[in-house]
Amino acid sequence: EAITVGELANRMAERTSDVVKELMKMGMMVTQTETIDADTAELLIEEFGHKVVRVSDSDVEQVIEQAEDKASDLKPRAPIITIMGHVDHGKTSLLDAIRKTRVVAGEAGGITQHIGAYQVTTDNGSVLSFLDTPGHAAFTSMRSRGAHVTDIVVLVVAADDAVMPQTIEAINHAKAAKVPMIVAINKMDKPSANPDKVRTDLLQHEVIVEKMSGDVQDVEVSAATGAGLDKLLEAIALQAEILELKANPDRAAMGAVIEAQLDVGRGPVATVLVQNGTLRQGDIFVVGEQWGKVRALIDDKGDRVKEAGPSVPVEVLGLNGTPEAGDVLNVVDTEAQAREIADYRMKAAKDKRAAIGAATTLEQLMANAKANQSVSELPIIVKADVQGSAEAIVQAMEKIGNDEVRVRVLHSGVGAITESDIGLAEASGAPVIGFNVRANATARNVANQKGVEIRYYSVIYALVDDIKAAASGLLSNEI
Ligand code: GDP
């Protein structure tokens, strides 16, 4: 498969005319809508100082990254943390308690602004950035838009309630994104708190905490009394150290939109978490289908700042339109360039919306996996009417395959197919299997919009046959 000149320029965040010029130097006369082959595309990408990751021999895919930083330019950066867990287990309370304990008395009246993320400093001086939208829905929808923001997930489990359905979802979402977890056992102030029940429950979901001789840190806390919060913050800092997170502050910024809205007084406002480089007042940028020039930057204390480096969340003013959470921001050289890329993306998004409906069908998934020799896993999501069926299906699915390809159940559960399942499916390129259950109306709508395939079954062997047939197409040997 080839790529159009316009699409390639867009992915590199370069002007189409510059790409066309470069192609002319290489002796090719093409226009923006014409396609070029993968080899030419790769040459061009390198010419522009970007890194190319080939998904297969013939397909230059999505993953065009910015020019790589030299190791010597990289400096440590703060970890970015998302809090997940079952409803009412205390995600919001924990975020608020952490924020409160770390705000120095007297500082701006002790009040922090809610801009979608905030930073705290631990007693040992480590800086941590927390995303203020708890839960896996936001996490997964950002991921499906291409923003890989979270470095560490804090899984909150209430000690008086133990592991619940959304706890399991959160675990699976974190695992699918390959983000390390820390378990915060909350509500320890309650007389009915039973932290060991939480630990043993987690075992069943392959989360083995340190107290059970595993390597997932577990900390007992109370968002209500503040007990254990310092310990939790140190556990996060320790996990961050292990990850050796780094970025290069001395380059044009790129970041991800955490939230955005149209503010009556201030116009479109977006909170951006800088992921690399430094964002400065006056910078020209493109963000999703929008562009702008930084008029002002406001930090999580409500103060105006001149710049924001890696892992720092800031409110950005000066956008020409409202982007969406998960959109990626890139600083570019000129306004003309920013406008051109934004226009192109807007048009491309419109075309994509028109063409949607055939995104994640089983057949396509298999075709993709086949084209990509290195990917040998077929991800699926399973929802069933009863626990017994869910387990039987997972077992049957995991038996399909051999050294070359295998089926990977990202998430299985009991009950109707929900929006959360579709979110995970979209982010992971997986179909959703409903066994004697249907999708609820919202989930159906979202699946239609996103092009996620839902397959319904009521007989296990029919399901196994389908998946086997599809998978065997990928294999040189029979399963
Ligand atoms: P979320 O849905 O996970 O964001 O949970 P919330 O933070 O809204 O908390 C749900 C309920 O649990 C609220 O009534 C909180 O006051 C209460 N809660 C949260 N943390 C604690 C805690 O550590 N101890 C006690 N006793 N109650 C808590």
Side-chain angles (χ1 to χ4, degrees):
E1 230 183 281
I3 186 168
T4 69
V5 174
E7 176 66 15
L8 182 64
N10 171 45
R11 285 182 187 178
M12 296 192 293
E14 299 287 348
R15 289 180 71 169
T16 310
S17 54
D18 291 342
V19 176
V20 170
K21 255 183 246 160
E22 199 57 44
L23 279 163
M24 279 164 74
K25 277 195 222 156
M26 292 163 66
M28 290 177 69
M29 304 293 279
V30 290
T31 62
Q32 140 169 10
T33 51
E34 279 178 79
T35 55
I36 52 176
D37 61 53
D39 290 323
T40 311
E42 186 163 336
L43 271 176
L44 261 177
I45 292 162
E46 276 158 11
E47 198 59 46
F48 279 91
H50 298 275
K51 197 175 89 182
V52 60
V53 180
R54 277 203 183 196
V55 173
S56 72
D57 281 351
S58 58
D59 199 9
V60 178
E61 253 304 332
Q62 309 266 351
V63 227
I64 294 165
E65 293 176 7
Q66 286 191 309
E68 233 178 324
D69 292 301
K70 277 197 280 208
S72 56
D73 292 335
L74 294 174
K75 308 250 156 54
R77 65 168 179 84
I80 296 156
I81 301 118
T82 296
I83 298 196
M84 298 199 217
H86 194 71
V87 65
D88 280 346
H89 279 198
K91 298 180 291 294
T92 313
S93 306
L94 204 57
L95 276 164
D96 289 344
I98 291 169
R99 189 193 336 249
K100 239 189 284 164
T101 60
R102 307 315 305 184
V103 174
V104 187
E107 188 184 300
I111 296 163
T112 50
Q113 295 288 112
H114 281 265
I115 64 167
Y118 66 85
Q119 284 197 314
V120 296
T121 309
T122 69
D123 288 338
N124 294 336
S126 311
V127 178
L128 316 175
S129 300
F130 282 88
L131 295 187
D132 227 350
T133 327
H136 50 260
F139 174 80
T140 301
S141 86
M142 299 242 328
R143 202 157 74 81
S144 69
R145 294 186 72 78
H148 301 272
V149 176
T150 303
D151 300 306
I152 297 168
V153 164
V154 170
L155 180 71
V156 182
V157 191
D160 62 342
D161 204 20
V163 170
M164 297 298 280
Q166 286 165 11
T167 316
I168 301 165
E169 280 182 22
I171 292 169
N172 292 333
H173 283 241
K175 279 187 180 165
K178 300 192 168 71
V179 175
M181 243 178 316
I182 293 174
V183 177
I185 307 180
N186 191 31
K187 306 200 186 185
M188 284 302 294
D189 58 290
K190 287 201 161 184
S192 54
N194 184 356
D196 283 332
K197 165 105 171 42
V198 174
R199 295 187 179 98
T200 43
D201 273 10
L202 285 172
L203 274 181
Q204 288 173 2
H205 302 282
E206 283 149 53
V207 177
I208 310 167
V209 299
E210 283 184 338
K211 196 136 183 244
M212 308 292 269
S213 309
D215 52 14
V216 176
Q217 296 189 79
D218 56 317
V219 186
E220 297 180 0
V221 298
S222 164
T225 68
L229 293 187
D230 288 343
K231 249 197 192 149
L232 176 62
L233 297 186
E234 291 310 333
I236 296 169
L238 179 67
Q239 179 68 54
E241 236 170 76
I242 295 166
L243 294 175
E244 292 187 49
L245 304 166
K246 287 188 174 146
N248 174 10
D250 299 314
R251 60 172 298 158
M254 67 86 66
V257 174
I258 304 301
E259 58 177 49
Q261 73 273 339
L262 189 60
D263 190 297
V264 182
R266 302 184 296 170
V269 180
T271 295
V272 171
L273 196 75
V274 178
Q275 292 180 285
N276 204 8
T278 298
L279 185 63
R280 297 194 169 83
Q281 211 171 311
D283 277 350
I284 296 160
F285 61 85
V286 52
V287 55
E289 297 163 34
Q290 314 299 336
W291 66 279
K293 181 172 180 174
V294 180
R295 196 168 73 227
L297 296 171
I298 297 162
D299 72 8
D300 55 353
K301 316 229 166 28
D303 296 329
R304 275 187 72 152
V305 289
K306 289 236 149 56
E307 56 177 45
S311 297
V312 176
V314 271
E315 261 191 344
V316 177
L317 275 65
L319 291 133
N320 77 326
T322 314
E324 288 184 52
D327 278 345
V328 175
L329 175 143
N330 284 101
V331 167
V332 295
D333 291 334
T334 65
E335 256 179 55
Q337 199 177 358
R339 199 185 311 235
E340 187 184 331
I341 296 165
D343 285 351
Y344 181 85
R345 288 185 180 170
M346 202 172 274
K347 199 179 136 284
K350 212 186 260 167
D351 293 349
K352 192 180 166 203
R353 277 192 288 272
I356 221 151
T360 320
T361 66
L362 204 50
E363 286 71 22
Q364 230 189 336
L365 207 66
M366 304 304 161
N368 290 348
K370 190 171 191 174
N372 179 1
Q373 294 305 325
S374 65
V375 170
S376 52
E377 273 183 352
L378 299 175
I380 63 167
I381 290 159
V382 176
K383 290 305 279 287
D385 52 344
V386 291
Q387 190 61 34
S389 310
E391 277 163 19
I393 292 167
V394 171
Q395 271 176 18
M397 290 296 115
E398 282 171 355
K399 264 191 233 143
I400 300 176
N402 59 15
D403 296 344
E404 282 177 66
V405 62
R406 62 191 191 88
V407 178
R408 182 163 165 240
V409 182
L410 293 179
H411 175 64
S412 69
V414 173
I417 296 164
T418 64
E419 207 180 336
S420 161
D421 299 324
I422 305 298
L424 181 60
E426 194 207 358
S428 315
V432 183
I433 308 295
F435 187 80
N436 287 331
V437 294
R438 310 287 302 172
N440 65 32
T442 331
R444 266 201 310 275
N445 286 339
V446 180
N448 278 338
Q449 267 168 35
K450 310 280 188 193
V452 169
E453 187 184 32
I454 304 177
R455 292 208 163 202
Y456 297 110
Y457 293 89
S458 51
V459 197
I460 291 190
Y461 68 75
L463 165 60
V464 172
D465 281 354
D466 273 11
I467 299 286
K468 259 192 189 169
S472 68
L474 301 174
L475 297 173
S476 35
N477 334 340
E478 275 301 295
I479 307 177

